[in-house]
Amino acid sequence: MDKPISSSPAYAAGSDSTRIQNRVLKNTYMLLSMTLLFSGATAGLSMALNLPHPGIIITLVGYFGLLFATSKFRNSGLGIVCVFALTGFMGLTLGPILSAYMSLPNGGQIIMNAMAATGVIFLGLSAYVVTTNKDFSFMGGFLTVGILVAFLAGIGAFFFEIAALSLVVSAMFVLLMSGLILYETSNIIHGGETNYIMATTTLFVSIFNLFTSLLHLMGFMSDE
């Protein structure tokens, strides 16, 4: 008599792999939800206290420093602390930007539109990957180069105050962050990313940059 399929070693290994991937996906979205709420709270606190923007140097040092710490401690409980520190810090830097938009006649509407668009893009892309089970790992090299180029161009646009370049960079980041959401979600589903702390960090950064880029573009289109 043939052995039941469930007793096959290959089947058992496949089932274990699927369970691990589902667990990583579940933990990632749970932690991502909490970090988004925490970041929103720190952004609101920053707005309530009318805190000034820390400046590009402190922002970059704080961001990359906390990102390095999160990566270093990703396999320990301290990694959770680091990811909340990172997302909370990013919320604090976002607060002054939102305050500046809120001071505009149509600022509140621009913020809500950017937030809604970000949510639709993230949920739509994530659902597409989960339902189709497509593998987007081939995008890794392109995204790495694209993000580096866009980042350097953004630094140049800031220091040289080139408004047109700044808009181009924002448009690039919308496309790149959308690609990164596809890539990272695919990575989780296909077992390329098994650490939910790092998966959360990547998706959070994608959402954050997607939102700020859309905010910039929508503000420009509204002549604000």
Side-chain angles (χ1 to χ4, degrees), residues 127-215:
Y128 175 76
V129 178
V130 172
T131 55
T132 63
N133 203 35
K134 285 190 175 181
D135 188 355
F136 288 92
S137 59
F138 65 90
M139 298 175 64
F142 167 78
L143 289 172
T144 300
V145 174
I147 291 171
L148 178 60
V149 171
F151 175 75
L152 294 176
I155 295 294
F158 176 82
F159 282 108
F160 294 104
E161 299 182 354
I162 306 175
L165 179 58
S166 180
L167 288 172
V168 171
V169 170
S170 292
M172 288 176 64
F173 265 107
V174 169
L175 295 176
L176 289 167
M177 294 303 106
S178 297
L180 189 56
I181 290 170
L182 289 172
Y183 173 79
E184 189 63 19
T185 306
S186 171
N187 244 3
I188 297 170
I189 292 175
H190 294 95
E193 178 60 83
T194 57
N195 188 291
Y196 70 92
I197 291 178
M198 294 310 299
T200 297
T201 301
T202 301
L203 290 177
F204 180 92
V205 170
S206 301
I207 293 171
F208 183 92
N209 286 323
L210 180 61
F211 171 69
T212 54
S213 297
L214 287 171
L215 190 62

Side-chain angles (χ1 to χ4, degrees), residues 112-133:
M112 292 305 296
N113 288 342
M115 191 178 298
T118 301
V120 169
I121 292 172
F122 174 74
L123 293 176
L125 293 176
S126 299
Y128 175 76
V129 178
V130 172
T131 55
T132 63
N133 203 35

Side-chain angles (χ1 to χ4, degrees), residues 13-90:
S15 298
D16 289 341
S17 177
T18 300
R19 282 196 294 271
I20 291 172
Q21 291 158 15
N22 288 339
R23 185 167 66 249
V24 173
L25 189 64
K26 177 183 176 182
N27 290 341
T28 296
Y29 283 134
M30 187 179 301
L31 182 58
L32 180 62
S33 299
M34 291 189 289
T35 54
L36 285 171
L37 289 173
F38 182 66
S39 183
T42 58
L45 178 64
S46 178
M47 295 174 69
L49 298 177
N50 198 27
L51 298 178
H53 195 276
I56 189 169
I57 302 299
I58 294 177
T59 298
L60 291 178
V61 171
Y63 169 73
F64 284 109
L66 289 169
L67 188 62
F68 173 79
T70 302
S71 178
K72 180 177 176 61
F73 297 107
R74 64 185 179 274
N75 293 316
S76 68
L78 194 55
I80 299 290
V81 177
C82 290
V83 77
F84 273 100
L86 172 63
T87 55
F89 174 76
M90 293 175 73

